[in-house]
Amino acid sequence: QAVITACARNKSKLDEVISGFSAQVKHISVEFGEREGIKERCQAIFDLCAGDGFQSVYLYNNHGFGGDVSKLAQDFDDSTEIDDYFFLNLTSFQVLTSVFLKNFPGIPHTCVNISSLCAIVAFPSMSLYCTGKAARLMMYKCLAADNSDVKVLNYSPGPMLTTMTEAYHTDKMKNEETRGKFKKMKEENCWVDTDESAKKMLEIVKDNKFTSGEQIDFYDR
């Protein structure tokens, strides 16, 4: 029987998500943006499953946020803002991965980074987001190179209508070209269905025919 351990920064949103699950779900609210105690908070996630017997374990890693899209790359001169962004979107991402791999010894581990086209293509007004996604992609490529016994996938789920992308077609998005692209997607309802993309990701993981460390986009298959 599958056991899902779900975690998020926002407890009310997390409760809303898990209410729709039919499988056994354990859940915990975790603040990934605070430096002090980050390793211990990550460990608390996996302590929820201590003692459970598993044949394999999977980490689907998607925490983070989009950053300030009202600025262009040259506008970021506040070191605290930049450090805080990358701690949440990159440092804690790596810590969570490392802690996961140290748990559940002796069974296969699979790590899935929820990636993006922004990891390989620069979008104006999205410099922090693109940089963070590119770093996460390379980090998981290196993870695959360093660990032949760990299966690693970078999955790009396609553009979705989320709380994050809601701001991208408004005046909050500084670059007109980027804003126009997201506005067009909204007007034409070109968003990828979240359930359809999640199902495709799970099928890719289950088939296990991908090269460890590669990036696969929703539209690739």
Side-chain angles (χ1 to χ4, degrees):
Q1 182 181 3
V3 176
I4 299 172
T5 301
C7 59
R9 302 168 68 203
N10 186 314
K11 185 179 185 304
S12 62
K13 291 293 185 181
L14 176 61
D15 291 340
E16 182 181 328
V17 169
I18 65 172
S19 66
F21 280 58
S22 58
Q24 180 183 352
V25 181
K26 301 179 180 182
H27 62 287
I28 184 173
S29 177
V30 179
E31 178 50 71
F32 290 107
E34 294 182 5
R35 289 165 173 75
E36 185 174 355
I38 182 61
K39 185 176 179 180
E40 291 73 21
R41 290 196 299 279
C42 288
Q43 180 58 49
I45 299 168
F46 307 113
D47 287 344
L48 293 176
C49 298
D52 292 341
F54 299 111
Q55 295 180 335
S56 56
V57 288
Y58 304 81
L59 174 65
Y60 295 90
N61 206 341
N62 189 39
H63 75 265
F65 78 111
D68 188 351
V69 295
S70 70
K71 297 179 179 179
L72 302 179
Q74 64 268 25
D75 298 326
F76 289 99
D77 57 4
D78 185 333
S79 60
T80 300
E81 178 186 10
I82 297 168
D83 287 346
D84 288 347
Y85 181 86
F86 286 115
F87 183 87
L88 172 59
N89 287 270
L90 184 60
T91 304
S92 63
F93 171 89
Q94 168 58 24
V95 173
L96 179 62
T97 301
S98 179
V99 172
F100 168 72
L101 292 173
K102 290 180 173 66
N103 281 267
F104 316 110
I107 59 175
H109 287 65
T110 299
C111 296
V112 181
N113 165 37
I114 307 304
S115 189
S116 170
L117 179 64
C118 293
I120 55 178
V121 177
F123 283 78
S125 287
M126 299 178 66
S127 59
L128 290 188
Y129 185 74
C130 290
T131 302
K133 284 295 187 181
R136 284 161 67 138
L137 171 61
M138 182 53 68
M139 186 173 286
Y140 264 36
K141 283 181 175 291
C142 290
L143 178 64
D146 286 340
N147 300 271
S148 59
D149 56 340
V150 175
K151 204 64 186 285
V152 181
L153 172 66
N154 293 286
Y155 177 70
S156 179
M160 298 176 174
L161 182 60
T162 65
T163 302
M164 184 180 76
T165 55
E166 276 284 5
Y168 290 178
H169 57 78
T170 69
D171 290 338
K172 292 181 180 179
M173 173 64 72
K174 187 168 185 176
N175 182 267
E176 293 184 7
E177 180 183 357
T178 305
R179 184 169 66 246
K181 288 179 179 179
F182 281 97
K183 186 176 181 180
K184 183 178 181 180
M185 281 193 288
K186 181 176 176 62
E187 292 173 347
E188 298 179 359
N189 195 25
C190 295
W191 307 109
V192 172
D193 181 76
T194 53
D195 289 344
E196 183 182 354
S197 186
K199 182 179 179 181
K200 180 173 288 190
M201 175 188 67
L202 292 175
E203 289 174 348
I204 293 170
V205 172
K206 182 180 179 181
D207 290 344
N208 197 25
K209 295 178 181 179
F210 60 91
T211 300
S212 189
E214 75 170 310
Q215 169 142 320
I216 297 178
D217 191 277
F218 172 82
Y219 294 107
D220 290 342
R221 300 189 178 186

